[in-house]
Amino acid sequence: MSAPPPAIILSTPQMAENIGAVARVMANFGLSDLRLVTPRDGWPQERAWASASGADWPLDNARVFGSVAEAIADLTLVLATTARNRETQLPVLTPRQAAADLHARVAAGQAVGLLFGGERAGLETADIALCQGIVTIPVDERFRSLNLAQAVALNCYEWRLGVDETPRQAFAHNALPPADQAAMMGLYEHLEAELDEAGFFHPPEKRPSMTRNLRVALGRASFTDQEVSTFRGVITALSRGRGRVLAKLAAQKAAAEAARNKP
Amino acid sequence: MSAPPPAIILSTPQMAENIGAVARVMANFGLSDLRLVTPRDGWPQERAWASASGADWPLDNARVFGSVAEAIADLTLVLATTARNRETQLPVLTPRQAAADLHARVAAGQAVGLLFGGERAGLETADIALCQGIVTIPVDERFRSLNLAQAVALNCYEWRLGVDETPRQAFAHNALPPADQAAMMGLYEHLEAELDEAGFFHPPEKRPSMTRNLRVALGRASFTDQEVSTFRGVITALSRGRGRVLAKLAAQKAAAEAARNKP
């Protein structure tokens, strides 16, 4: 039932490097139908493949058309991306709103596309008039000139977000669950016992608030079980350093005794 | 009250053209603080200005650093952008989730940044360990290689979308701001030096991964300045315990010697 991802239509693109960069971001976000309307330097252009960094298939399968009308003939919804405000009755959408509309149409089995103008001239009003909506990227008023491949990338990214809505899955995958409070209590009490021995808590009446502050700060890290045992190892290492020194000096002392008691 | 937009930190960028393209998208979305860590071909590079298409100010004011640690020293929240799945306990965010967190911190007056790796090598695990979260762009599994400027553009775009939205209350009334990365580095290095002395890192070849894990776990707590100094006091107390025992036993030994040498 569901149709393919949107076609990307470039109207009179100038630099082959930009066409290659467009192919690359299309591949990044799962699009593959690239259509070129009267590319300035003709087609194919070896420099496009060079700048696609291996995303060759949109270029290998790219189709060239003589006009925007021909390029979008088979599509039921075409949205024109332009940064400039236009005198038009077409709805003006953000890339996010556009992606929602495109997904709705594709889910209904319809073929859709996104139209982009050339690097310098942008889109002609006559070509915009062939579209069903305008996508405007919210750029800063002080520097509106957005690179062609960047404009394509932002729209493909929004399309992609609509495809796999599983961003937090990655987190769930990556992260281990935090240790339970019993494990944390074990860590706290281990640390506090060693700090007692080291005479850290002075004056004694401040011990309750000091331990509270230590527990609050460490608690915010939500350690995993592995991290809890790592930090218990840290505490042991820092304090057992004592033990090793003790043992070493005790041995020296014993040797001295022995030497002294030798007949 | 509100702090400037996020700094963009490029770790070991290779091509000056990409640095210029990054400056251009920063200008498109209202960012201006560009920081370069050991750019491969040195700095400044004329080709960067050529590819910025007039977005000169991020390049004119770009600062160069010798390490990621130095580049982020004044920031309280740094998010690392990487496409690869990492064995890490750092939270993994989408660019949208990251933008929300960055806005909340900036609204609270905190300086924040986004860290990006070089074109080929990406980010080193040790540098990621200095960050408080990972941003992963949801690219297609079949072609994950995203252009550097494109990765910056998507994050700057999400930042821009959030400019008008009101930050989450949770952060707004954040009691005390977290310590900056320079303070955290001081804590890490203090702890690691004491652990070296205590012989904690064995086998030695595991030291890098062991220190990384410690830094990631502690970094998640976002200690305040007060908490940083408290924990440095903890480390000192635990290790100075050693010193006291040493002195005590040395004194005993001296006494034994004296007794032995008594006529």
Side-chain angles (χ1 to χ4, degrees), chain B residues 193-234:
Chain B
E194 288 297 344
L195 288 174
D196 278 326
E197 201 178 324
F200 177 74
F201 298 113
H202 53 82
E205 57 269 28
K206 293 195 75 177
R207 188 186 191 280
S209 63
M210 292 171 83
T211 54
R212 250 194 333 268
N213 295 338
L214 290 172
R215 290 177 175 198
V216 165
L218 288 174
R220 283 206 313 272
S222 320
F223 290 146
T224 64
D225 286 322
Q226 176 54 57
E227 288 167 340
V228 167
S229 59
T230 299
F231 278 95
R232 295 196 63 158
V234 164

Side-chain angles (χ1 to χ4, degrees), chain A residues 28 96 140 150 174 244, chain B residues 28 86 96 140 150 157 198:
Chain A
N28 286 140
R96 194 158 303 170
D140 190 300
Q150 299 285 9
N174 225 326
R244 271 207 299 280
Chain B
N28 285 141
R86 302 282 189 166
R96 192 158 305 167
D140 190 300
Q150 300 284 10
Y157 163 76

Side-chain angles (χ1 to χ4, degrees), chain A residues 21 24-25 27-31 52-55 57 94-96 137-150 153-154 157-158 160-161 164 167-168 170-171 174-177 191 194-195 197-200 213-214 216-218 220-224 227 230-231 233-235 237-242 244-247 249-250 252-253 256-257 259-260, chain B residues 21 24-25 27-30 52-55 57 85-92 94-97 134 137-150 153-154 157-158 160-161 165 191 194-195 197-200 210 213-214 216-218 220-224 227 230-231 233-235 237-239 241-242 244-246 249-250 252-253 256-257 259-260:
Chain A
R24 181 176 177 176
V25 294
N28 286 140
F29 296 111
L31 286 71
S53 300
W57 57 98
T94 66
R96 194 158 303 170
I137 296 167
V139 289
D140 190 300
E141 290 300 328
R142 291 161 294 183
F143 193 78
R144 303 182 60 83
S145 164
L146 189 64
N147 168 271
L148 172 59
Q150 299 285 9
L154 295 175
Y157 162 77
E158 288 286 2
R160 176 74 185 177
L161 286 186
D164 65 348
R168 291 167 189 279
F171 190 11
N174 225 326
L176 298 166
L191 175 62
E194 288 296 344
L195 288 174
E197 201 178 325
F200 177 74
N213 295 340
L214 289 172
V216 166
L218 286 174
R220 283 206 311 273
S222 22
F223 291 146
T224 63
E227 288 167 340
T230 299
F231 277 95
V234 164
I235 296 163
L238 289 175
S239 39
R240 186 184 297 141
R242 276 209 298 277
R244 271 207 299 280
V245 174
L246 251 167
L249 292 186
Q252 290 176 358
K253 207 166 154 214
E257 301 278 353
R260 177 173 20 167
Chain B
R24 181 175 177 178
V25 295
N28 285 141
F29 296 111
S53 302
W57 57 98
N85 279 331
R86 302 282 189 166
E87 284 307 318
T88 175
Q89 284 303 310
L90 289 174
V92 178
T94 64
R96 192 158 305 167
Q97 294 165 332
I134 287 178
I137 296 167
V139 288
D140 190 300
E141 290 300 327
R142 290 161 293 182
F143 194 78
R144 302 181 61 83
S145 165
L146 189 64
N147 167 271
L148 173 59
Q150 300 284 10
L154 296 174
Y157 163 76
E158 288 286 2
R160 177 75 185 176
L161 288 185
E165 295 166 11
L191 175 61
E194 288 297 344
L195 288 174
E197 201 178 324
F200 177 74
M210 292 171 83
N213 295 338
L214 290 172
V216 165
L218 288 174
R220 283 206 313 272
S222 320
F223 290 146
T224 64
E227 288 167 340
T230 299
F231 278 95
V234 164
I235 296 163
L238 290 175
S239 39
R242 277 209 298 274
R244 271 207 299 279
V245 174
L246 250 166
L249 292 185
Q252 290 175 359
K253 202 168 160 213
E257 301 279 351
R260 177 180 17 170

Side-chain angles (χ1 to χ4, degrees), chain A residues 8-236:
Chain A
I8 298 298
I9 306 112
L10 306 184
S11 178
T12 324
Q14 298 184 296
M15 298 179 60
E17 291 80 358
N18 284 338
I19 299 173
V22 165
R24 181 176 177 176
V25 294
M26 288 175 67
N28 286 140
F29 296 111
L31 286 71
S32 57
D33 183 353
L34 176 59
R35 308 180 181 192
L36 308 175
V37 178
T38 61
R40 182 191 66 185
D41 302 334
W43 192 258
Q45 285 284 323
E46 191 263 317
R47 297 190 327 285
W49 275 261
S51 66
S53 300
D56 292 343
W57 57 98
L59 299 174
D60 297 339
N61 303 321
R63 284 173 287 168
V64 178
F65 298 87
S67 69
V68 168
E70 296 168 75
I72 66 176
D74 62 316
L75 308 178
T76 63
L77 176 72
V78 180
L79 302 177
T81 297
T82 169
R84 261 164 287 154
N85 283 329
R86 301 282 189 167
E87 285 306 318
T88 174
Q89 289 306 307
L90 289 174
V92 177
L93 309 167
T94 66
R96 194 158 303 170
Q97 294 166 328
D101 289 358
L102 293 168
H103 273 290
R105 294 296 193 101
V106 166
Q110 298 180 26
V112 300
L114 285 158
L115 174 65
F116 298 83
E119 290 89 335
R120 200 174 61 256
L123 285 171
E124 293 183 17
T125 312
D127 291 330
I128 294 174
L130 298 175
C131 301
Q132 290 71 51
I134 287 178
V135 186
T136 295
I137 296 167
V139 289
D140 190 300
E141 290 300 328
R142 291 161 294 183
F143 193 78
R144 303 182 60 83
S145 164
L146 189 64
N147 168 271
L148 172 59
Q150 299 285 9
V152 175
L154 295 175
N155 282 281
C156 292
Y157 162 77
E158 288 286 2
W159 163 264
R160 176 74 185 177
L161 286 186
V163 173
D164 65 348
E165 293 288 47
T166 57
R168 291 167 189 279
Q169 216 69 345
F171 190 11
H173 240 287
N174 225 326
L176 298 166
D180 62 25
Q181 289 312 304
M184 290 307 290
M185 279 304 300
L187 173 64
Y188 297 152
E189 289 165 356
H190 183 181
L191 175 62
E192 290 152 14
E194 288 296 344
L195 288 174
D196 279 326
E197 201 178 325
F200 177 74
F201 298 114
H202 51 81
E205 57 269 29
K206 294 195 75 176
R207 188 184 191 280
S209 63
M210 292 171 81
T211 54
R212 237 188 349 265
N213 295 340
L214 289 172
R215 292 178 175 198
V216 166
L218 286 174
R220 283 206 311 273
S222 22
F223 291 146
T224 63
D225 286 322
Q226 176 55 57
E227 288 167 340
V228 167
S229 59
T230 299
F231 277 95
R232 295 196 62 158
V234 164
I235 296 163
T236 303

